[in-house]
Amino acid sequence: MNSTPAFASASLNRAAISQNSQNIAFCRLGDLRFGVPLTDVVQAIRQPPQLTLLPRRDHAIAGIFVYRQQTIPLIDLRRWLPWPDERSELPGQILLVRRNAHLTGIAIDQVDGLQRVPVSQIQRVVQREDDEELFHSTVSIAAGEQESQALGLLDVDALIRLSQVWCAADEEFAASIADADSGLAATAAAASTNTVPHALFELAGQVLAIPASDVAAVIPMPVVTRILGRHPAWLGMTIWRERDVPVLRTMAALGLPPQAESGSAQENLLVILGSEGRYAGVPVQAARAVMPLDTSAAQTAASAGLPVNTVLSGVFHTSASERLLLIDGAELVNTCSLSALSQKAGTDEQDQKNHHSDQRSQADQDAALQAHVVVQGGQAWALGMRWLEAIVYFPAQFDTNTAGHPAQLGNFIWNQQTIPLWDLRMLTNQTPTPDSPERRVLIMRIDGVLIGLLVEQLLILLPARSGKVAAFGRRQTGVTQIITVRYDDQEKTYSILNPAEYLPLRQALAC
């Protein structure tokens, strides 16, 4: 049994259905693989530590559990089916399904993946009307070099009717899922006149909080040309938007000891800070989130035992007992004499227009937020569902002779088509994806062309409209986006992977 769920959260993605295709989630229960229409799926969660037994003459009910203040019954499908194996313990995951106002849980081992299939590939094979049938239809899916594989399609409506076990999943419960995942309700209630949105970044075990208005862009770490100088904070210069932008040693710029900067993780991102047409960059390891902070509750740097300067404005302690270093981004730019090199005449007005345009587009972007699959590929990436044709296992056979790029593994056959297979981890940090049963291939369409992208494993599936997207940069020069969601009472942030704009992939495909 796989102890790590392939998905910690799935979505009610009704917008993903069209007249010609349907999204199917594929689940595994022992040796049984079956499909569930994604319109019937609410979430996939881990087995709760406590399951209350509910003695009944019908033993198909494994028990009841509480999830987000909702009491939900759990059905063990193995008790409804002719099952050849022992049923000594329950599987490790629960698939929450919903039909109309009826909500129930199904015990499963894991979610294997997702695939968009034409409705013509869904066929009814059991023709009689029988309330005892849970799998009366099948779905044909592509399976490696084989033409297709047929899997049973669970009829959730029939399961709920047959079991007569469900709880009332009203709209208030559905809304509570979105509110808990996004965290927007809590942050709105806690907002005050002193609350300012801050972008959070990680570096050398520290979390840096910079006012979002001071952040002009967050970009992959560019080439930095070293400069001569005795100032300990100077690292070099780089080109951004046709500007000469100085890059500073982050910890030194904050007045912190240089040895605090020696972390094991690589500085993958460059935060471009801006103030009145001048810019400077500071390297970080990861972008975490954008969240409002009540700076009136901050501790001074002096009282926290940190160096006193105008850049390090204080320390903020979160409810999770985590320390955030408050950074005045505008002050950092203004105190850096080299930032004057980044000024360009006649561009400030256009920069302001771009900034306001990006702010206006943010509300539209959040409103249209789609479901995202989160995968591990050198780092955790969130990939919009609109890019995906299917998620499949690593192909048993592929042609390595056709690989013309270090990150291309070769070509393989899927759905009677030859598809190039790329390694996302090699595109990200030049190290190959290790051989593991958890590997998956994302089949996506870019500019009308199908490609396969190898990832280390599937992590979660984020429900549509369940997270907060933050964008850095300008549309004309590319926008770096991160998505922040809340699940299992933890806040997580992931970089959004846009395959059509991800520079390493674009360059590789152009070769």
Side-chain angles (χ1 to χ4, degrees), residues 399-423:
D399 182 9
T400 59
N401 296 324
T402 56
H405 186 279
Q408 185 180 3
L409 303 180
N411 293 332
F412 69 105
I413 305 298
W414 178 81
N415 203 19
Q416 300 181 343
Q417 298 184 67
T418 300
I419 299 177
L421 180 60
W422 297 86
D423 189 329

Side-chain angles (χ1 to χ4, degrees), residues 74-291:
L74 178 63
I75 295 177
D76 188 351
L77 282 176
R78 299 173 301 177
R79 302 181 183 182
W80 290 73
L81 306 171
W83 201 259
D85 303 326
E86 294 289 334
R87 304 191 301 265
S88 57
E89 62 181 25
L90 282 171
Q93 292 190 49
I94 296 175
L95 188 72
L96 298 182
V97 294
R98 173 184 175 184
R99 175 54 65 98
N100 298 325
H102 300 161
L103 180 75
T104 191
I106 304 173
I108 61 172
D109 285 322
Q110 67 181 59
V111 177
D112 278 342
L114 301 166
Q115 187 166 327
R116 182 185 301 124
V117 299
V119 293
S120 60
Q121 293 178 203
I122 300 176
Q123 294 182 324
R124 187 180 180 102
V125 294
V126 178
Q127 305 301 327
R128 67 179 182 178
E129 294 295 336
D130 189 343
D131 288 341
E132 296 292 328
E133 296 291 349
L134 299 180
F135 296 92
H136 53 68
S137 297
T138 63
V139 54
S140 298
I141 63 172
E145 294 188 83
Q146 303 176 16
E147 290 187 0
S148 63
Q149 178 184 6
L151 300 179
L153 191 62
L154 178 65
D155 188 333
V156 175
D157 189 33
L159 174 66
I160 291 178
R161 287 200 320 267
L162 178 60
S163 67
Q164 288 296 298
V165 175
W166 43 267
C167 66
D170 54 23
E171 293 304 321
E172 183 175 346
F173 173 76
S176 71
I177 294 178
D179 287 343
D181 283 341
S182 65
L184 297 179
T187 56
S192 70
T193 56
N194 295 314
T195 299
V196 177
H198 281 68
L200 306 188
F201 303 97
E202 297 178 5
L203 177 63
Q206 304 285 347
V207 181
L208 314 180
I210 306 174
S213 59
D214 294 343
V215 179
V218 180
I219 62 176
M221 194 65 190
V223 175
V224 177
T225 303
R226 301 286 174 169
I227 58 176
L228 298 177
R230 296 184 180 181
H231 197 291
W234 293 352
L235 180 61
M237 301 289 295
T238 191
I239 304 296
W240 175 73
R241 294 183 59 195
E242 300 180 353
R243 297 173 183 266
D244 296 311
V245 176
V247 179
L248 307 178
R249 301 182 189 276
T250 308
M251 291 303 181
L254 304 181
L256 297 176
Q259 58 267 26
E261 208 162 352
S262 58
S264 58
Q266 183 180 0
E267 295 169 344
N268 300 309
L269 301 174
L270 184 66
V271 180
I272 306 292
L273 303 174
S275 174
E276 299 180 353
R278 297 171 60 174
Y279 299 89
V282 290
V284 297
Q285 290 167 356
R288 175 184 289 190
V290 175
M291 63 182 297

